[in-house]
Amino acid sequence: MTTNSYVLLSAILFTIGGIGFLVRRNVLVTLMSIEVMLNAVNVALVAFNRSMPKAHTGQLFAFFLIAAEAAEVAVGLAIVISIFRLRRSVRTDEADLLKN
C-alpha cells in the first residue's frame, strides 16, 4: 500500500469519527468517536513516518497521542460515570449541570 492509501484511510476514519461526534447524543458514543478521530491521526502520522523511515518523528508523535488518548478516556469516563450517577442518563443534552 502507498502512503496515499493510508492517508485516504485516515481521512475516511476521521470523517466517520467527526460525523459520530456531531450527530450522536450519547456521551459514550461521543467518546468513541473522538477515539476514532485520534486513531485516524495516528494512522496518518505512522503513514507519513513510513515514507521517511530514517526519521521517527511520526511514530514518536503517535506514541504521545496514544498517551493523551488514554488520559482523555480516563477523564471522560470519570465524567460520564459522574453524570450517570446524578442524572441516570448519559445523554449530552441532559448534562447541563453548570447551566444554572
Side-chain angles (χ1 to χ4, degrees):
M1 289 179 73
T2 62
T3 303
N4 291 336
S5 302
Y6 289 113
V7 172
L8 180 65
L9 173 68
S10 173
I12 291 170
L13 286 174
F14 194 86
T15 303
I16 291 171
I19 290 171
F21 179 77
L22 293 174
V23 171
R24 300 299 302 256
R25 300 271 182 205
N26 189 330
V27 177
L28 292 175
V29 176
T30 303
L31 281 176
M32 286 190 291
S33 298
I34 292 170
E35 290 297 317
V36 169
M37 291 169 58
L38 290 174
N39 283 327
V41 172
N42 277 341
V43 168
L45 287 172
V46 172
F48 287 130
N49 187 57
R50 189 171 178 238
S51 65
M52 293 185 296
K54 291 190 179 185
H56 296 291
T57 53
Q59 291 179 0
L60 189 64
F61 277 115
F63 285 128
F64 281 126
L65 198 56
I66 289 170
E69 288 175 30
E72 176 255 333
V73 166
V75 172
L77 286 178
I79 292 171
V80 169
I81 290 171
S82 175
I83 290 172
F84 182 75
R85 284 182 180 169
L86 291 174
R87 301 284 177 160
R88 295 290 173 203
S89 174
V90 290
R91 295 182 54 90
T92 55
D93 52 351
E94 295 177 7
D96 57 354
L97 296 174
L98 296 177
K99 271 188 175 177
N100 300 328

